[in-house]
Amino acid sequence: MPFHEQYTPTIFNTMIILTILLYVLGGYLTLAVGYYSLFCWASLFFKIKPAANQKTNTLARIVLLIPAYKEDAVIESTVQNALQQDYDAHKYDVVVIADQLQPTTLTRLQQLPIQVIEVYFQKSTKAKALNFALDHLAENYDLAMVLDADNHLAPGVLQKINQAYQQGHLIIQAHRTAKNHENGMAQLDAISEELNNAIFRKGHRVLGLPAALIGSGMAMQHHLHKQMMATIDAIGGFDKELEMRILKNKDLPKPKVHYLANALVYDEKVSDAKVFRKQRTRWISSQVKYGFRGIKDMFPQLLFKQNIAYFNKVFQFWLPPRLLLLGALTFFGLIGAFIHWSLGLYFGSLLLFMIGSLVVALPARLRTYQTLLALSKLPLFFFSMIKALFYLRQGFKSFLPTPHQYSSKP
């Protein structure tokens, strides 16, 4: 029996509309799968250049900037870790930007060989804290490195950053990696972090594009950092606005943002569903905001200035987060199979290819039994992401910091 004779006219028309929508969505999702997969596979060819491990007799003067908003639980351990770096103590300073820390915490910090800058804002943001500190610091630094209040540096990080700087790199992103793996949620968040490194840093560098900034574990020539940050007052996602400005700057040496895969910065991963939702609300709201903000310059930068890097960055903002992409491919695969087996097969094939690409990009150390167990948390992750979409307005208007509790790397 012909397809149109199996259904009433109303159902038939509905099926036609659904089919058209699936084809449109299929094109969008295919584009997203192709983009992510391209950089996943490219990341396999990333190599650390031996020169990055060579020491130099010239030491840059570095300031470590650590904004700490109500981070009493972790800030002291972070400072102690920073003070233990195997770098000439006279060549680097640790600066804590204290925003609403407890008096007892401030007292203990002030007894350490660091600088504490207290800030008071009606509405706190990371950008405000950094700009205040940059305005009150001396100008005798070569590099400024931004850390989160929970970040711990592996031995040799400052040496490696200095080496990259001496080679001519003015903007350097270190390899941020998980500090904790205590439950399934933390393990999945750790996986997400490493996939970001593979796609947006390793894969991008292999294909000749700048690495993406994260917002912590990043170092920049001090005067350039101060200049670029001066007019940034983002509620969330200051690193995205900073990166867009960097990519527009035609005077910076390529690749503009260098990635140091062997300079490890340990970062606390989210282990609670509510905190995860709050964090992703901040991230997605920033992605949406800068996606709309950047689209007006997206094509002019590409067509008139051959600025592929800027075009690529804005294009990223218009792609769905990977977890939502996987969920959408699963959902539309089921819907497509109901309409016609070929649609179900198409979306199912996209899903399998996307999963395969992510698996090959995942570091071998995370392809473990613990990861398999953590996959049981994927539905919770997915629904937390869906829930985050309903809180985007909150992310546009309010600073949503991620609380931290693990003070040291296990």
Side-chain angles (χ1 to χ4, degrees):
M1 181 182 296
F3 177 78
H4 66 276
E5 294 181 7
Q6 299 179 41
Y7 303 101
T8 65
T10 300
I11 294 177
F12 177 72
N13 290 335
T14 302
M15 297 289 279
I16 290 294
I17 293 171
L18 279 174
T19 303
I20 293 173
L21 286 175
L22 279 175
Y23 275 114
V24 172
L25 285 168
Y28 172 66
L29 296 178
T30 301
L31 190 63
V33 169
Y35 183 91
Y36 286 128
S37 297
L38 171 65
F39 290 105
C40 280
W41 288 95
S43 71
L44 299 180
F45 300 95
F46 180 84
K47 302 294 182 184
I48 297 175
K49 295 181 179 180
N53 293 318
Q54 295 174 0
K55 291 189 176 182
T56 175
N57 293 326
T58 304
L59 294 181
R61 185 155 172 73
I62 304 173
V63 58
L64 301 181
L65 299 172
I66 311 176
Y69 175 77
K70 297 182 178 180
E71 295 281 15
D72 300 85
V74 296
I75 186 60
E76 292 176 70
S77 176
T78 296
V79 169
Q80 293 288 0
N81 168 265
L83 291 173
Q84 293 168 9
Q85 272 291 294
D86 50 347
Y87 197 76
D88 187 340
H90 297 96
K91 288 290 187 177
Y92 81 103
D93 293 327
V94 178
V95 176
V96 172
I97 311 166
D99 189 350
Q100 300 186 45
L101 294 181
Q102 295 296 320
T104 52
T105 303
L106 286 171
T107 299
R108 289 194 294 269
L109 288 174
Q110 288 164 351
Q111 294 172 355
L112 298 172
I114 66 170
Q115 183 176 352
V116 179
I117 299 177
E118 294 186 63
V119 295
Y120 306 91
F121 304 115
Q122 187 174 1
K123 289 186 177 180
S124 296
T125 69
K126 195 171 180 179
K128 286 180 181 178
L130 286 170
N131 277 320
F132 186 92
L134 290 169
D135 286 340
H136 290 80
L137 283 176
E139 294 290 335
N140 61 335
Y141 294 107
D142 299 304
L143 283 167
M145 184 175 187
V146 178
L147 299 174
D148 282 343
D150 64 302
N151 289 165
H152 281 203
L153 303 176
V157 166
L158 295 188
Q159 289 281 4
K160 292 168 184 174
I161 286 175
N162 174 66
Q163 176 68 37
Y165 177 68
Q166 301 302 335
Q167 292 171 355
H169 298 291
L170 301 183
I171 306 164
I172 303 152
Q173 177 62 59
H175 179 172
R176 202 172 71 178
T177 192
K179 179 194 292 185
N180 56 304
H181 301 261
E182 75 283 359
N183 62 22
M185 297 244 359
Q187 180 73 0
L188 288 178
D189 202 15
I191 290 169
S192 178
E193 182 83 89
E194 291 304 338
L195 288 175
N196 283 337
N197 287 326
I199 295 169
F200 300 116
R201 283 167 270 286
K202 289 182 178 180
H204 272 58
R205 289 300 306 116
V206 168
L207 295 182
L209 291 166
L213 292 177
I214 310 175
S216 68
M218 61 181 190
M220 190 180 304
Q221 197 272 335
H222 179 57
H223 178 72
L224 177 65
H225 185 222
K226 183 176 180 178
Q227 183 183 44
M228 290 258 181
M229 284 294 303
T231 56
I232 295 179
D233 189 22
I235 294 175
F238 87 96
D239 53 314
K240 290 182 173 59
E241 185 168 344
L242 177 61
E243 187 175 359
M244 290 172 75
R245 293 185 180 199
I246 289 168
L247 297 180
K248 268 189 174 181
N249 191 324
K250 62 182 181 181
D251 297 324
L252 291 175
K254 291 184 179 181
K256 295 191 177 180
V257 181
H258 179 62
Y259 179 52
L260 273 182
N262 60 348
L264 299 181
V265 176
Y266 295 99
D267 181 74
E268 182 180 325
K269 298 295 104 186
V270 174
S271 57
D272 177 81
K274 289 183 179 179
V275 176
F276 176 84
R277 192 274 302 166
K278 185 178 179 182
Q279 183 189 68
R280 264 46 180 188
T281 296
R282 185 178 78 243
W283 290 3
I284 297 174
S285 62
S286 297
Q287 180 175 336
V288 171
K289 178 174 69 175
Y290 290 107
F292 279 104
R293 185 175 294 183
I295 197 168
K296 61 180 173 50
D297 294 327
M298 182 180 181
F299 289 98
Q301 284 286 324
L302 177 66
L303 297 175
F304 302 121
K305 299 186 178 181
Q306 293 75 53
N307 193 344
I308 298 173
Y310 185 87
F311 178 89
N312 172 69
K313 175 53 60 176
V314 178
F315 183 79
Q316 284 176 20
F317 295 148
W318 288 91
L319 296 176
R322 291 185 304 274
L323 187 56
L324 292 182
L325 174 60
L326 293 172
L329 289 172
T330 302
F331 176 76
F332 289 117
L334 295 173
I335 296 296
F338 174 74
I339 296 174
H340 195 271
W341 67 267
S342 62
L343 284 173
L345 178 63
Y346 180 74
F347 284 108
S349 299
L350 280 180
L351 176 63
L352 291 176
F353 184 68
M354 183 67 193
I355 292 173
S357 298
L358 294 176
V359 169
V360 300
L362 192 66
R365 60 184 171 80
L366 289 175
R367 298 177 196 162
T368 62
Y369 181 67
Q370 185 181 2
T371 292
L372 288 176
L373 291 177
L375 293 178
S376 64
K377 295 291 184 180
L378 267 179
L380 179 60
F381 249 51
F382 178 75
F383 287 112
S384 294
M385 289 284 285
I386 294 294
K387 192 174 181 180
L389 297 176
F390 294 94
Y391 287 85
L392 289 185
R393 185 182 296 271
Q394 183 181 359
F396 293 137
K397 295 182 177 180
S398 305
F399 177 50
L400 301 174
T402 302
H404 301 108
Q405 57 183 331
Y406 293 96
S407 60
S408 62
K409 184 179 75 69

